[in-house]
Amino acid sequence: MEHAQEALFRPVRAGNAFEETVERLMQSIRLGVVAPGERLPSERELATRLGVSRVTVREAIRSLQENNYVESRRGRYGGTFVNAEIPKPAPGKEFGDIHDALTLRKVLETGAAETAAGRSLGPSERRGLRAHLEEASTASLAEYRRKDSRLHLAIAEATGSASLTAAVAESRMRANELLDSIPLLEPNLVHSNAQHERIITSILDGDPASARQAMAEHLDGTASLLRGFLV
Amino acid sequence: MEHAQEALFRPVRAGNAFEETVERLMQSIRLGVVAPGERLPSERELATRLGVSRVTVREAIRSLQENNYVESRRGRYGGTFVNAEIPKPAPGKEFGDIHDALTLRKVLETGAAETAAGRSLGPSERRGLRAHLEEASTASLAEYRRKDSRLHLAIAEATGSASLTAAVAESRMRANELLDSIPLLEPNLVHSNAQHERIITSILDGDPASARQAMAEHLDGTASLLRGFLV
DNA sequence: CTCCAAAGGTATGTCAGCGAGCCATTGGCC
DNA sequence: GGCCAATGGCTCGCTGACATACCTTTGGAG
């Protein structure tokens, strides 16, 4: 009986079904899985996939509408569409959370890069990674965070592990909440793109050690930026 | 719109409150956080910490009683106690799950070992790690899986990241379900203890690269054992 | 032009899970 | 010997979430 219990006896549910559904939809939008102008899956489909009732999905979507994240249109070929401009969430985190979030992120993402580099990737996966790299490198400041996240998620997907991808998505969401509270500058972006290039090249070349190394440096960059701004 | 959605649009809840509560309590027992003969926290305390009602906690405990995991005694100094002999769960997994579970486990645990080695640990943490190592090395075949898990959890705790610890616990649970379906032999155990020794030594010496390396070898051992038995 | 498939919008009855309170049992403390 | 604190055991009313069914809107296909 000691403090490993703190991890195991934590609350079984992060929130109620409504809150968790909002959270997921927000993630899809903020991480750029559904881009501005694109349509979310239909309410019925979301209800099935998220494992909640359609009523709950609709309440969640309503909440996103009220916060100007999405708009819904009726009729065939209607649906719920992501707005071009999405609002920024209110920041404000505790310090302990920062260490926790950054530690988990580093473990997951360096591991994902290494694992992806160690697999033999198919042509479509290789093409996908290159495409996401290109997308991120040509992104404007406004789009950057979203396309950056899409790239990192693509790397996680390339591991072939669904639960690792899910873990990266969640960890990234937490990290982005922190990153949103500091400015994103042109030089950071150039530097970041160069690092992305190294990471993806290492993965495509099948060099796990170098992929891990490159990802570690990439993450350490934003991590120290964050600690500098927030401490 | 592509298949990163599979990770983000997965079900929001793993099961109902009852099922998730049973799962957590089972984890505490199987991972050895509460050892045979020891007492679980009181129902009221569990209800608070797990964030569910006491009714739900009691239903979960009832379920564990019916499956001979625990026994409850009334009165002051009573409580719910873990039985000396706990039953094995029914095995039976899909192959895709194995790759998924082992990939996540390797990423999390090698990352945890590396991170723990990179921190400056306090005296009590160092003592704790040594104690868990000793426990595992002197464990009988029957106790081994439990004490092994406790050691690995202690390593995760040594990272100072609660969410990393929680992730390791969950991942380990999944891996153990698989491992329970293959025999545990004396030679494996000796080999495993030697590897534990290397891992802990590297962590206490503050050598991250070597800690990662040792953990990777340790995990690869059981991973290939598993693939051999189940494929 | 009409039809109808597919999308969002609405209403209703049911039930799991919750909160809160009380009861029953036990064993150490005074 | 009696008290009482802390445990598990039990009940009841309330509410969030669910399943299901139906309505309304829309735009392409025939």
Side-chain angles (χ1 to χ4, degrees), chain B residues 6-56:
Chain B
E6 284 167 27
L8 280 157
F9 293 150
R10 81 199 120 91
V12 292
R13 347 207 81 174
N16 56 33
F18 163 74
E19 287 167 343
E20 289 191 48
T21 304
V22 171
E23 194 60 28
R24 277 302 177 74
L25 297 180
M26 288 263 287
Q27 276 188 28
S28 316
I29 296 170
R30 302 208 86 89
L31 297 181
V33 174
V34 183
E38 284 188 348
R39 215 193 65 177
L40 289 173
S42 75
E43 296 177 354
R44 287 170 178 84
E45 186 182 343
L46 282 175
T48 305
R49 290 175 63 175
L50 297 178
V52 297
S53 78
R54 210 183 131 207
V55 179
T56 304

Side-chain angles (χ1 to χ4, degrees), chain A residues 36-223:
Chain A
E38 283 189 347
R39 217 194 62 179
L40 289 173
S42 75
E43 295 177 354
R44 286 168 178 85
E45 186 182 343
L46 282 175
T48 305
R49 291 174 63 176
L50 297 178
V52 298
S53 78
R54 208 182 133 209
V55 179
T56 304
V57 169
R58 301 196 78 258
E59 282 169 356
I61 288 177
R62 169 102 72 100
S63 162
L64 292 182
Q65 286 166 352
E66 285 167 359
N67 290 283
N68 284 106
Y69 282 86
V70 298
E71 278 179 2
S72 297
R73 292 201 291 277
R74 289 227 242 182
R76 194 174 189 180
Y77 304 90
T80 298
F81 297 82
V82 178
N83 285 335
E85 294 292 331
I86 57 176
K88 306 201 171 191
K93 293 294 142 194
E94 315 251 340
F95 177 66
D97 293 343
I98 298 178
H99 169 75
D100 189 74
L102 294 180
T103 301
L104 183 61
R105 177 178 79 144
K106 187 170 178 186
V107 165
L108 287 171
E109 300 217 27
T110 55
E114 180 177 28
T115 306
R119 296 216 323 157
S120 55
L121 301 172
S124 75
E125 286 176 306
R126 303 176 73 86
R127 239 180 294 118
L129 286 176
R130 280 203 208 88
H132 281 299
L133 174 61
E134 172 69 15
E135 280 277 306
S137 69
T138 57
S140 66
L141 277 170
E143 309 169 308
Y144 193 72
R145 202 89 79 203
R146 191 166 50 78
K147 301 220 164 159
D148 178 53
S149 287
R150 286 294 293 120
L151 173 60
H152 283 261
L153 272 185
I155 294 170
E157 278 176 46
T159 63
S161 168
S163 51
L164 178 52
T165 307
V168 168
E170 192 177 323
S171 142
R172 198 153 190 90
M173 198 63 202
R174 285 176 65 193
N176 277 354
E177 275 177 35
L178 300 171
L179 290 169
D180 280 339
S181 59
I182 65 173
L184 183 60
L185 303 173
E186 194 68 37
N188 304 140
L189 197 145
V190 172
H191 189 208
S192 187
N193 279 329
Q195 293 176 321
H196 282 165
E197 177 97 32
R198 271 192 61 206
I199 297 168
I200 297 296
T201 302
S202 301
I203 291 175
L204 294 177
D205 288 352
D207 184 344
S210 145
R212 154 175 295 280
Q213 173 70 17
M215 179 65 90
E217 285 170 17
H218 179 49
L219 298 178
D220 282 342
T222 54

Side-chain angles (χ1 to χ4, degrees), chain B residues 139-161:
Chain B
S140 66
L141 277 171
E143 310 169 306
Y144 193 71
R145 200 89 78 203
R146 190 165 51 77
K147 300 218 165 159
D148 177 52
S149 288
R150 286 295 292 117
L151 173 59
H152 283 260
L153 272 183
I155 293 169
E157 278 175 47
T159 64
S161 167

